[in-house]
Structures are given as structure tokens and as C-alpha cells.
Amino acid sequence: MNLNSEILTLLKSVSEGYQAQLGLLSKDEHLSALEGTILSFLRYNEGLDAPSDIVRLLHLSKGDVSMAVTHLEKAGYLSKTKDPEDKRKQHLALEKPADPFLQKVDRMRQRYFTQVFQGFDGNDIATFKHLLERISTNVSTHH
């Protein structure tokens, strides 16, 4: 395998490992993997609370996100409000019924990232984050 393919495969493996863990938690709570992803996204991305943010940043379909948001709203996990300055834009807010699931996600994330970064010190993690940010910038400027 060439170096570029190997890097892409490794990055995908880390992401898929996390998504698999989140999917198991979601299933245990009778949520779809997408619903769990949306709740987790809202929990950890303060200020990015519009369905359009989820679609754009997670590269998901607008229709799938819309259906999942509707289901989560009906289940009481989140609420929607219209943006006072742009009535076309909605904002999502997590509600109390999502707390037990999100507490499990918090614990899972802690375990997962402890495992992923086992043997890394703070400088290693900061360097890794910096490199990923540079890669992300390079990718976004060439789209």
C-alpha cells in the first residue's frame, strides 16, 4: 500500500471505530446511528446548532438529517427554534431526555480517546491536532 492510501485508511479506521462505538450506544437507547450522531454533534460542537451545520460538516444528506431531527424532536430529545434574523434557519437545542444517552456518550468518548491516544503525551496530541488542522485547511481550500 502506498503512503497516501495508508494514511487515508488509518484516518478512516479511527473515525469508523468511534462511529461503531457511538452506533452501539445509539442502538442500546433505541436510536438510529444517525440520531446518536446528531445528538453527539450537538453536545460537542457549541454554536453549530443548525441542521445545515450537521449536513455540511458531517457530509450527510439534508433529507436524512431532517427525518432524524423530526424523530428526535418527537421523542423529546431536542427542540427547534427559528433564527430571529433568518426565519429560514432553524436552531436545535438538546433537551433533558437526551441527558442519559449523552452521559453514556461522554463516558464512551473518554474511554475511546484514552485508548486511541495511549502512549501519547500532551505535546504529541497537540502536534497531531495541528497537523490535522493543516490537512483540513488544505482540503477545504481545494474544494
Side-chain angles (χ1 to χ4, degrees):
M1 184 180 297
N2 74 31
L3 181 60
N4 294 338
S5 295
E6 191 171 353
I7 290 169
L8 290 173
T9 300
L10 292 168
L11 288 171
K12 187 175 180 182
S13 173
V14 172
S15 177
E16 286 177 348
Y18 175 79
Q19 288 300 321
Q21 292 296 310
L22 184 57
L24 290 172
L25 278 181
S26 299
K27 185 178 178 182
D28 287 347
E29 296 295 315
H30 307 289
L31 297 169
S32 71
L34 178 56
E35 291 165 350
T37 296
I38 290 169
L39 293 173
S40 178
F41 179 89
L42 292 170
R43 170 75 151 212
Y44 300 107
N45 294 282
E46 189 174 327
L48 297 171
D49 61 355
S52 59
D53 295 327
I54 296 166
V55 167
R56 179 175 46 85
L57 293 170
L58 299 182
H59 307 284
L60 298 169
S61 89
K62 186 176 177 180
D64 288 346
V65 170
S66 178
M67 285 183 4
V69 164
T70 297
H71 183 261
L72 289 167
E73 184 180 29
K74 286 180 182 175
Y77 287 97
L78 57 81
S79 59
K80 291 190 278 190
T81 57
K82 290 206 182 285
D83 187 306
E85 296 176 16
D86 182 353
K87 299 292 184 198
R88 297 168 298 170
K89 188 173 183 179
Q90 295 179 334
H91 294 279
L92 305 174
L94 295 168
E95 298 297 338
K96 276 280 189 215
D99 285 351
F101 171 72
L102 292 169
Q103 289 168 2
K104 291 177 185 178
V105 173
D106 291 342
R107 290 189 297 273
M108 179 277 293
R109 283 174 61 101
Q110 181 63 41
R111 284 190 310 270
Y112 186 74
F113 287 110
T114 297
Q115 177 187 356
V116 166
F117 290 112
Q118 184 177 359
F120 287 63
D121 66 23
N123 290 331
D124 293 335
I125 295 168
T127 299
F128 181 68
K129 179 181 180 281
H130 175 72
L131 293 171
L132 286 176
E133 287 169 345
R134 286 179 53 194
I135 291 167
S136 180
T137 299
N138 290 344
V139 168
S140 65
T141 58
H142 290 96
H143 265 127

mmCIF file of all heavy atoms in Angstrom, residues 104-138:
data_model
loop_
_atom_site.group_PDB
_atom_site.id
_atom_site.type_symbol
_atom_site.label_atom_id
_atom_site.label_comp_id
_atom_site.label_asym_id
_atom_site.label_seq_id
_atom_site.Cartn_x
_atom_site.Cartn_y
_atom_site.Cartn_z
ATOM 1 N N LYS A 104 -23.756 8.696 28.696
ATOM 2 C CA LYS A 104 -23.104 7.464 28.218
ATOM 3 C C LYS A 104 -22.113 7.786 27.104
ATOM 4 O O LYS A 104 -21.029 7.197 27.034
ATOM 5 C CB LYS A 104 -24.149 6.460 27.734
ATOM 6 C CG LYS A 104 -24.983 5.891 28.860
ATOM 7 C CD LYS A 104 -26.051 4.961 28.332
ATOM 8 C CE LYS A 104 -26.948 4.486 29.462
ATOM 9 N NZ LYS A 104 -28.031 3.619 28.992
ATOM 10 N N VAL A 105 -22.481 8.717 26.232
ATOM 11 C CA VAL A 105 -21.571 9.134 25.162
ATOM 12 C C VAL A 105 -20.319 9.769 25.761
ATOM 13 O O VAL A 105 -19.202 9.490 25.310
ATOM 14 C CB VAL A 105 -22.267 10.091 24.165
ATOM 15 C CG1 VAL A 105 -21.267 10.655 23.160
ATOM 16 C CG2 VAL A 105 -23.407 9.383 23.439
ATOM 17 N N ASP A 106 -20.494 10.601 26.782
ATOM 18 C CA ASP A 106 -19.337 11.221 27.449
ATOM 19 C C ASP A 106 -18.359 10.149 27.935
ATOM 20 O O ASP A 106 -17.145 10.255 27.712
ATOM 21 C CB ASP A 106 -19.778 12.051 28.660
ATOM 22 C CG ASP A 106 -20.547 13.310 28.315
ATOM 23 O OD1 ASP A 106 -20.487 13.765 27.148
ATOM 24 O OD2 ASP A 106 -21.226 13.840 29.221
ATOM 25 N N ARG A 107 -18.885 9.127 28.605
ATOM 26 C CA ARG A 107 -18.024 8.060 29.134
ATOM 27 C C ARG A 107 -17.379 7.260 28.005
ATOM 28 O O ARG A 107 -16.185 6.926 28.083
ATOM 29 C CB ARG A 107 -18.825 7.148 30.064
ATOM 30 C CG ARG A 107 -19.200 7.826 31.380
ATOM 31 C CD ARG A 107 -19.804 6.873 32.385
ATOM 32 N NE ARG A 107 -21.059 6.286 31.951
ATOM 33 C CZ ARG A 107 -22.261 6.828 32.130
ATOM 34 N NH1 ARG A 107 -22.376 7.997 32.738
ATOM 35 N NH2 ARG A 107 -23.349 6.211 31.704
ATOM 36 N N MET A 108 -18.135 6.969 26.949
ATOM 37 C CA MET A 108 -17.591 6.236 25.813
ATOM 38 C C MET A 108 -16.476 7.024 25.148
ATOM 39 O O MET A 108 -15.422 6.487 24.825
ATOM 40 C CB MET A 108 -18.708 5.923 24.806
ATOM 41 C CG MET A 108 -18.247 5.178 23.552
ATOM 42 S SD MET A 108 -17.557 6.180 22.209
ATOM 43 C CE MET A 108 -18.971 7.115 21.665
ATOM 44 N N ARG A 109 -16.695 8.315 24.928
ATOM 45 C CA ARG A 109 -15.674 9.157 24.297
ATOM 46 C C ARG A 109 -14.399 9.181 25.141
ATOM 47 O O ARG A 109 -13.295 9.104 24.601
ATOM 48 C CB ARG A 109 -16.193 10.586 24.119
ATOM 49 C CG ARG A 109 -17.143 10.748 22.963
ATOM 50 C CD ARG A 109 -17.722 12.151 22.928
ATOM 51 N NE ARG A 109 -16.736 13.182 22.773
ATOM 52 C CZ ARG A 109 -16.453 13.816 21.632
ATOM 53 N NH1 ARG A 109 -17.122 13.503 20.541
ATOM 54 N NH2 ARG A 109 -15.536 14.750 21.588
ATOM 55 N N GLN A 110 -14.568 9.295 26.443
ATOM 56 C CA GLN A 110 -13.395 9.316 27.322
ATOM 57 C C GLN A 110 -12.602 8.017 27.177
ATOM 58 O O GLN A 110 -11.382 8.040 27.017
ATOM 59 C CB GLN A 110 -13.820 9.527 28.776
ATOM 60 C CG GLN A 110 -12.665 9.585 29.746
ATOM 61 C CD GLN A 110 -11.742 10.750 29.495
ATOM 62 O OE1 GLN A 110 -12.180 11.855 29.214
ATOM 63 N NE2 GLN A 110 -10.454 10.513 29.575
ATOM 64 N N ARG A 111 -13.297 6.886 27.218
ATOM 65 C CA ARG A 111 -12.620 5.592 27.060
ATOM 66 C C ARG A 111 -11.979 5.472 25.677
ATOM 67 O O ARG A 111 -10.833 5.029 25.553
ATOM 68 C CB ARG A 111 -13.611 4.437 27.262
ATOM 69 C CG ARG A 111 -13.999 4.161 28.698
ATOM 70 C CD ARG A 111 -14.792 2.862 28.843
ATOM 71 N NE ARG A 111 -15.903 2.754 27.913
ATOM 72 C CZ ARG A 111 -17.152 3.178 28.127
ATOM 73 N NH1 ARG A 111 -17.457 3.761 29.272
ATOM 74 N NH2 ARG A 111 -18.097 3.016 27.218
ATOM 75 N N TYR A 112 -12.730 5.848 24.645
ATOM 76 C CA TYR A 112 -12.242 5.685 23.281
ATOM 77 C C TYR A 112 -10.985 6.524 23.042
ATOM 78 O O TYR A 112 -9.976 6.026 22.538
ATOM 79 C CB TYR A 112 -13.326 6.046 22.258
ATOM 80 C CG TYR A 112 -12.895 5.738 20.843
ATOM 81 C CD1 TYR A 112 -12.849 4.419 20.397
ATOM 82 C CD2 TYR A 112 -12.496 6.744 19.979
ATOM 83 C CE1 TYR A 112 -12.423 4.113 19.115
ATOM 84 C CE2 TYR A 112 -12.073 6.448 18.694
ATOM 85 C CZ TYR A 112 -12.043 5.141 18.264
ATOM 86 O OH TYR A 112 -11.610 4.840 16.997
ATOM 87 N N PHE A 113 -11.039 7.796 23.424
ATOM 88 C CA PHE A 113 -9.883 8.652 23.156
ATOM 89 C C PHE A 113 -8.709 8.342 24.076
ATOM 90 O O PHE A 113 -7.553 8.539 23.689
ATOM 91 C CB PHE A 113 -10.279 10.132 23.172
ATOM 92 C CG PHE A 113 -11.077 10.494 21.947
ATOM 93 C CD1 PHE A 113 -12.422 10.785 22.045
ATOM 94 C CD2 PHE A 113 -10.494 10.490 20.690
ATOM 95 C CE1 PHE A 113 -13.171 11.087 20.913
ATOM 96 C CE2 PHE A 113 -11.223 10.787 19.554
ATOM 97 C CZ PHE A 113 -12.562 11.083 19.661
ATOM 98 N N THR A 114 -8.969 7.818 25.259
ATOM 99 C CA THR A 114 -7.884 7.332 26.110
ATOM 100 C C THR A 114 -7.171 6.180 25.418
ATOM 101 O O THR A 114 -5.935 6.122 25.393
ATOM 102 C CB THR A 114 -8.423 6.899 27.488
ATOM 103 O OG1 THR A 114 -8.979 8.038 28.141
ATOM 104 C CG2 THR A 114 -7.337 6.283 28.355
ATOM 105 N N GLN A 115 -7.949 5.287 24.822
ATOM 106 C CA GLN A 115 -7.363 4.154 24.091
ATOM 107 C C GLN A 115 -6.621 4.630 22.846
ATOM 108 O O GLN A 115 -5.491 4.219 22.600
ATOM 109 C CB GLN A 115 -8.460 3.169 23.692
ATOM 110 C CG GLN A 115 -7.946 1.998 22.873
ATOM 111 C CD GLN A 115 -9.074 1.121 22.346
ATOM 112 O OE1 GLN A 115 -10.235 1.326 22.644
ATOM 113 N NE2 GLN A 115 -8.716 0.141 21.548
ATOM 114 N N VAL A 116 -7.244 5.511 22.071
ATOM 115 C CA VAL A 116 -6.640 5.990 20.826
ATOM 116 C C VAL A 116 -5.307 6.679 21.101
ATOM 117 O O VAL A 116 -4.334 6.480 20.369
ATOM 118 C CB VAL A 116 -7.610 6.945 20.086
ATOM 119 C CG1 VAL A 116 -6.897 7.725 18.980
ATOM 120 C CG2 VAL A 116 -8.781 6.180 19.509
ATOM 121 N N PHE A 117 -5.245 7.483 22.160
ATOM 122 C CA PHE A 117 -4.043 8.262 22.441
ATOM 123 C C PHE A 117 -3.166 7.644 23.526
ATOM 124 O O PHE A 117 -2.310 8.341 24.097
ATOM 125 C CB PHE A 117 -4.421 9.705 22.782
ATOM 126 C CG PHE A 117 -4.938 10.455 21.585
ATOM 127 C CD1 PHE A 117 -6.272 10.837 21.527
ATOM 128 C CD2 PHE A 117 -4.119 10.746 20.520
ATOM 129 C CE1 PHE A 117 -6.762 11.517 20.424
ATOM 130 C CE2 PHE A 117 -4.598 11.417 19.409
ATOM 131 C CZ PHE A 117 -5.917 11.808 19.358
ATOM 132 N N GLN A 118 -3.337 6.345 23.765
ATOM 133 C CA GLN A 118 -2.497 5.651 24.740
ATOM 134 C C GLN A 118 -1.034 5.782 24.316
ATOM 135 O O GLN A 118 -0.672 5.540 23.164
ATOM 136 C CB GLN A 118 -2.896 4.180 24.821
ATOM 137 C CG GLN A 118 -2.142 3.408 25.868
ATOM 138 C CD GLN A 118 -2.638 1.967 25.963
ATOM 139 O OE1 GLN A 118 -3.543 1.560 25.261
ATOM 140 N NE2 GLN A 118 -2.030 1.208 26.828
ATOM 141 N N GLY A 119 -0.183 6.189 25.251
ATOM 142 C CA GLY A 119 1.236 6.340 24.953
ATOM 143 C C GLY A 119 1.602 7.694 24.357
ATOM 144 O O GLY A 119 2.774 7.953 24.098
ATOM 145 N N PHE A 120 0.620 8.550 24.127
ATOM 146 C CA PHE A 120 0.881 9.892 23.610
ATOM 147 C C PHE A 120 0.941 10.857 24.789
ATOM 148 O O PHE A 120 0.162 10.732 25.723
ATOM 149 C CB PHE A 120 -0.265 10.366 22.699
ATOM 150 C CG PHE A 120 -0.333 9.698 21.352
ATOM 151 C CD1 PHE A 120 -0.555 8.339 21.231
ATOM 152 C CD2 PHE A 120 -0.198 10.459 20.192
ATOM 153 C CE1 PHE A 120 -0.634 7.738 19.992
ATOM 154 C CE2 PHE A 120 -0.284 9.860 18.944
ATOM 155 C CZ PHE A 120 -0.498 8.501 18.835
ATOM 156 N N ASP A 121 1.831 11.826 24.716
ATOM 157 C CA ASP A 121 1.801 12.870 25.731
ATOM 158 C C ASP A 121 1.065 14.085 25.163
ATOM 159 O O ASP A 121 0.643 14.077 24.010
ATOM 160 C CB ASP A 121 3.205 13.227 26.243
ATOM 161 C CG ASP A 121 4.099 13.872 25.197
ATOM 162 O OD1 ASP A 121 3.594 14.454 24.210
ATOM 163 O OD2 ASP A 121 5.328 13.811 25.384
ATOM 164 N N GLY A 122 0.904 15.111 25.982
ATOM 165 C CA GLY A 122 0.169 16.296 25.563
ATOM 166 C C GLY A 122 0.752 16.947 24.319
ATOM 167 O O GLY A 122 0.016 17.437 23.453
ATOM 168 N N ASN A 123 2.089 16.967 24.214
ATOM 169 C CA ASN A 123 2.725 17.553 23.031
ATOM 170 C C ASN A 123 2.424 16.740 21.774
ATOM 171 O O ASN A 123 2.213 17.318 20.701
ATOM 172 C CB ASN A 123 4.238 17.671 23.226
ATOM 173 C CG ASN A 123 4.605 18.728 24.242
ATOM 174 O OD1 ASN A 123 3.889 19.709 24.416
ATOM 175 N ND2 ASN A 123 5.723 18.528 24.919
ATOM 176 N N ASP A 124 2.439 15.420 21.897
ATOM 177 C CA ASP A 124 2.114 14.563 20.748
ATOM 178 C C ASP A 124 0.699 14.860 20.244
ATOM 179 O O ASP A 124 0.468 14.985 19.039
ATOM 180 C CB ASP A 124 2.180 13.073 21.127
ATOM 181 C CG ASP A 124 3.566 12.584 21.456
ATOM 182 O OD1 ASP A 124 4.550 13.178 20.970
ATOM 183 O OD2 ASP A 124 3.660 11.591 22.206
ATOM 184 N N ILE A 125 -0.237 14.955 21.181
ATOM 185 C CA ILE A 125 -1.636 15.188 20.813
ATOM 186 C C ILE A 125 -1.795 16.571 20.191
ATOM 187 O O ILE A 125 -2.486 16.723 19.180
ATOM 188 C CB ILE A 125 -2.561 14.992 22.034
ATOM 189 C CG1 ILE A 125 -2.510 13.519 22.483
ATOM 190 C CG2 ILE A 125 -3.988 15.409 21.718
ATOM 191 C CD1 ILE A 125 -3.148 13.241 23.823
ATOM 192 N N ALA A 126 -1.129 17.572 20.750
ATOM 193 C CA ALA A 126 -1.200 18.925 20.184
ATOM 194 C C ALA A 126 -0.611 18.961 18.780
ATOM 195 O O ALA A 126 -1.168 19.602 17.876
ATOM 196 C CB ALA A 126 -0.475 19.913 21.101
ATOM 197 N N THR A 127 0.507 18.265 18.570
ATOM 198 C CA THR A 127 1.119 18.199 17.233
ATOM 199 C C THR A 127 0.190 17.495 16.259
ATOM 200 O O THR A 127 -0.002 17.955 15.122
ATOM 201 C CB THR A 127 2.481 17.477 17.301
ATOM 202 O OG1 THR A 127 3.350 18.205 18.164
ATOM 203 C CG2 THR A 127 3.108 17.337 15.921
ATOM 204 N N PHE A 128 -0.398 16.401 16.676
ATOM 205 C CA PHE A 128 -1.332 15.653 15.833
ATOM 206 C C PHE A 128 -2.511 16.540 15.434
ATOM 207 O O PHE A 128 -2.885 16.606 14.266
ATOM 208 C CB PHE A 128 -1.813 14.406 16.576
ATOM 209 C CG PHE A 128 -2.763 13.538 15.802
ATOM 210 C CD1 PHE A 128 -2.339 12.839 14.691
ATOM 211 C CD2 PHE A 128 -4.079 13.435 16.193
ATOM 212 C CE1 PHE A 128 -3.218 12.039 13.970
ATOM 213 C CE2 PHE A 128 -4.969 12.640 15.488
ATOM 214 C CZ PHE A 128 -4.531 11.936 14.368
ATOM 215 N N LYS A 129 -3.075 17.253 16.405
ATOM 216 C CA LYS A 129 -4.197 18.154 16.127
ATOM 217 C C LYS A 129 -3.776 19.244 15.148
ATOM 218 O O LYS A 129 -4.501 19.555 14.199
ATOM 219 C CB LYS A 129 -4.715 18.772 17.425
ATOM 220 C CG LYS A 129 -5.875 19.745 17.240
ATOM 221 C CD LYS A 129 -6.319 20.324 18.579
ATOM 222 C CE LYS A 129 -7.450 21.292 18.432
ATOM 223 N NZ LYS A 129 -7.002 22.608 17.984
ATOM 224 N N HIS A 130 -2.619 19.801 15.354
ATOM 225 C CA HIS A 130 -2.117 20.849 14.467
ATOM 226 C C HIS A 130 -1.972 20.323 13.034
ATOM 227 O O HIS A 130 -2.361 21.001 12.073
ATOM 228 C CB HIS A 130 -0.779 21.383 14.990
ATOM 229 C CG HIS A 130 -0.129 22.378 14.088
ATOM 230 N ND1 HIS A 130 -0.595 23.663 13.930
ATOM 231 C CD2 HIS A 130 0.947 22.259 13.271
ATOM 232 C CE1 HIS A 130 0.165 24.292 13.052
ATOM 233 N NE2 HIS A 130 1.115 23.467 12.646
ATOM 234 N N LEU A 131 -1.425 19.144 12.895
ATOM 235 C CA LEU A 131 -1.251 18.551 11.558
ATOM 236 C C LEU A 131 -2.601 18.293 10.896
ATOM 237 O O LEU A 131 -2.777 18.565 9.703
ATOM 238 C CB LEU A 131 -0.422 17.275 11.645
ATOM 239 C CG LEU A 131 1.040 17.462 12.043
ATOM 240 C CD1 LEU A 131 1.701 16.109 12.298
ATOM 241 C CD2 LEU A 131 1.796 18.244 10.985
ATOM 242 N N LEU A 132 -3.551 17.782 11.666
ATOM 243 C CA LEU A 132 -4.890 17.551 11.107
ATOM 244 C C LEU A 132 -5.550 18.862 10.679
ATOM 245 O O LEU A 132 -6.230 18.911 9.651
ATOM 246 C CB LEU A 132 -5.778 16.812 12.111
ATOM 247 C CG LEU A 132 -5.481 15.336 12.305
ATOM 248 C CD1 LEU A 132 -6.367 14.758 13.403
ATOM 249 C CD2 LEU A 132 -5.654 14.552 11.021
ATOM 250 N N GLU A 133 -5.359 19.914 11.472
ATOM 251 C CA GLU A 133 -5.911 21.228 11.104
ATOM 252 C C GLU A 133 -5.301 21.722 9.796
ATOM 253 O O GLU A 133 -6.008 22.247 8.930
ATOM 254 C CB GLU A 133 -5.671 22.245 12.226
ATOM 255 C CG GLU A 133 -6.544 22.020 13.427
ATOM 256 C CD GLU A 133 -6.142 22.845 14.641
ATOM 257 O OE1 GLU A 133 -4.997 23.405 14.662
ATOM 258 O OE2 GLU A 133 -6.952 22.935 15.574
ATOM 259 N N ARG A 134 -4.003 21.539 9.628
ATOM 260 C CA ARG A 134 -3.348 21.942 8.378
ATOM 261 C C ARG A 134 -3.868 21.141 7.203
ATOM 262 O O ARG A 134 -4.125 21.700 6.122
ATOM 263 C CB ARG A 134 -1.828 21.777 8.497
ATOM 264 C CG ARG A 134 -1.197 22.848 9.361
ATOM 265 C CD ARG A 134 0.290 22.693 9.522
ATOM 266 N NE ARG A 134 1.002 22.578 8.255
ATOM 267 C CZ ARG A 134 2.256 22.176 8.153
ATOM 268 N NH1 ARG A 134 2.944 21.844 9.236
ATOM 269 N NH2 ARG A 134 2.844 22.103 6.984
ATOM 270 N N ILE A 135 -4.039 19.848 7.403
ATOM 271 C CA ILE A 135 -4.583 18.991 6.343
ATOM 272 C C ILE A 135 -5.994 19.445 5.989
ATOM 273 O O ILE A 135 -6.340 19.583 4.814
ATOM 274 C CB ILE A 135 -4.555 17.508 6.771
ATOM 275 C CG1 ILE A 135 -3.125 17.000 6.844
ATOM 276 C CG2 ILE A 135 -5.395 16.656 5.813
ATOM 277 C CD1 ILE A 135 -2.968 15.659 7.540
ATOM 278 N N SER A 136 -6.806 19.694 7.015
ATOM 279 C CA SER A 136 -8.185 20.127 6.788
ATOM 280 C C SER A 136 -8.228 21.444 6.019
ATOM 281 O O SER A 136 -9.038 21.621 5.103
ATOM 282 C CB SER A 136 -8.904 20.260 8.130
ATOM 283 O OG SER A 136 -10.224 20.670 7.932
ATOM 284 N N THR A 137 -7.360 22.365 6.386
ATOM 285 C CA THR A 137 -7.283 23.643 5.671
ATOM 286 C C THR A 137 -6.912 23.424 4.213
ATOM 287 O O THR A 137 -7.504 24.001 3.309
ATOM 288 C CB THR A 137 -6.270 24.587 6.353
ATOM 289 O OG1 THR A 137 -6.712 24.843 7.678
ATOM 290 C CG2 THR A 137 -6.113 25.895 5.589
ATOM 291 N N ASN A 138 -5.926 22.576 3.982
ATOM 292 C CA ASN A 138 -5.511 22.283 2.605
ATOM 293 C C ASN A 138 -6.657 21.673 1.805
ATOM 294 O O ASN A 138 -6.860 22.021 0.650
ATOM 295 C CB ASN A 138 -4.318 21.326 2.589
ATOM 296 C CG ASN A 138 -3.050 21.973 3.092
ATOM 297 O OD1 ASN A 138 -2.959 23.193 3.194
ATOM 298 N ND2 ASN A 138 -2.074 21.160 3.419
#
